[in-house]
Amino acid sequence: TLVREDDKVGDLQYLVGPVIYELDTPLLQDLGHVARVNCVEVECTEVPASLPPPPPQQSQPPATSHLQQREFQRMLAIMNPDKVRVCAVIVACHIAQGDKCIIYCDNLAALEQYKDMVRCPAVQGSTPHRERETIIRNFREARGGACILFSSVGDQSIDIPQANVAVQLSVLDGSRMQELQRVGRVQRISTGKRVAWFYSLVTLGSDEVAFATRRRSYLHSHGYRTETVPGSAFAHKEVDALFESFGSAESLQQAFWKYLYDKSEAMQTS
């Protein structure tokens, strides 16, 4: 993908050579070389930009005041209860239809929380090679629906053409190349696959909105069509009932504070 997010984009023609021939995505879809993909941006409810109250048995972590505010705001946006609910609904509905879903979460602390809440295996940089191969093989060979959670390690060099659904929970920046890589991950042709889905979950009132706008415009420039829908459009009685108990506001607040305490301890020892 001939794009960079820094001021060296003009050097690409010298680093990799000029473009000799290029086909746009709609033509590749018409020729059957890639699957058609429905790109959906889901607007999740804005969350309060303040710390939730700590659990009764704990006091405020001593280094909380030193946490980088921007990082904390991003954590709030990623762990947005409405985003957790929407993610669970999307995955449950697609798995019920026999689809194979990839969930992307660049924030490693949030990835661990989503792994438990959505109840699917996760692969990140620290995952042992043998365990990683087992998780991916089980995903490929699963009969019916399946789900796997990736950090950014899933952007490249992962061979899973069986995946036809991708859910993007968080991004570290507005990288256009990363967006196209993730869309392309579910566009690869495999037996019986003709249509794919790419969902990008965005928390309103956060940095994610600007990132999403940048990424969306890049998709449009490459011939993709996107649809924007509110999180309230995704409803599933059984999943919502599970969310009330497993992804309740209380459990999410505990996750927030665990993250803050861990971050505080790391900052004190560094």
Side-chain angles (χ1 to χ4, degrees):
T1 305
L2 294 176
V3 62
R4 291 179 65 104
E5 304 304 333
D6 55 25
D7 58 0
K8 296 183 180 180
V9 64
D11 296 341
L12 285 177
Q13 61 177 327
Y14 306 109
L15 296 173
V16 299
V19 176
I20 304 299
Y21 185 72
E22 184 175 7
L23 284 177
D24 60 15
T25 301
L27 180 56
L28 290 173
Q29 292 173 342
D30 292 339
L31 294 174
H33 296 305
V34 297
R36 297 187 181 277
V37 59
N38 298 300
C39 298
V40 182
E41 185 174 300
V42 185
E43 296 180 336
C44 300
T45 306
E46 183 175 356
V47 293
S50 60
L51 267 61
Q57 70 275 18
Q58 293 179 331
S59 59
Q60 183 166 322
T64 298
S65 59
H66 301 295
L67 291 174
Q68 296 182 8
Q69 186 66 16
R70 186 177 180 183
E71 181 179 1
F72 177 68
Q73 295 302 324
R74 286 188 177 184
M75 188 63 176
L76 283 175
I78 298 167
M79 295 296 296
N80 179 355
D82 191 40
K83 181 179 287 191
V84 177
R85 183 191 63 80
V86 169
C87 175
V89 170
I90 291 174
V91 171
C93 290
H94 277 287
I95 286 181
Q97 296 176 11
D99 295 329
K100 294 192 174 181
C101 309
I102 300 173
I103 304 176
Y104 287 106
C105 183
D106 290 353
N107 184 291
L108 299 183
L111 181 143
E112 290 298 321
Q113 296 295 324
Y114 272 96
K115 181 180 71 173
D116 294 335
M117 289 187 284
V118 184
R119 299 179 180 179
C120 71
V123 174
Q124 55 180 294
S126 61
T127 305
H129 179 73
R130 181 171 296 182
E131 180 182 349
R132 179 183 306 195
E133 290 297 313
T134 299
I135 291 173
I136 294 175
R137 182 177 63 253
N138 291 341
F139 179 85
R140 290 197 201 103
E141 299 176 354
R143 295 184 178 181
C147 180
I148 188 170
L149 215 164
F150 277 112
S151 68
S152 58
V153 301
D155 292 344
Q156 299 176 346
S157 303
I158 301 293
D159 183 29
I160 43 175
Q162 298 82 2
N164 62 332
V165 178
V167 181
Q168 182 171 254
L169 296 174
S170 71
V171 295
L172 296 179
D173 52 36
S175 171
R176 296 164 293 171
M177 182 174 68
Q178 184 184 54
E179 186 90 345
L180 211 55
Q181 285 175 326
R182 291 179 172 179
V183 172
R185 183 68 60 199
V186 294
Q187 278 194 286
R188 294 183 59 189
I189 288 295
S190 65
T191 304
K193 182 168 76 174
R194 289 293 178 270
V195 178
W197 293 85
F198 179 81
Y199 298 91
S200 183
L201 277 53
V202 180
T203 294
L204 297 176
S206 70
D207 287 347
E208 293 180 351
V209 175
F211 294 159
T213 300
R214 179 180 177 86
R215 288 167 169 248
R216 188 191 326 119
S217 64
Y218 189 63
L219 289 179
H220 290 170
S221 70
H222 279 68
Y224 292 91
R225 295 181 179 179
T226 63
E227 178 185 6
T228 302
V229 299
S232 58
F234 295 86
H236 189 292
K237 291 184 178 179
E238 293 183 4
V239 174
D240 286 347
L242 173 64
F243 173 80
E244 288 300 324
S245 59
F246 195 73
S248 65
E250 180 180 356
S251 66
L252 289 173
Q253 286 186 6
Q254 291 175 352
F256 281 141
W257 282 101
K258 182 180 184 303
Y259 169 74
L260 290 178
Y261 273 90
D262 291 347
K263 179 64 69 173
S264 298
E265 291 178 359
M267 293 180 70
Q268 287 177 344
T269 57
S270 62

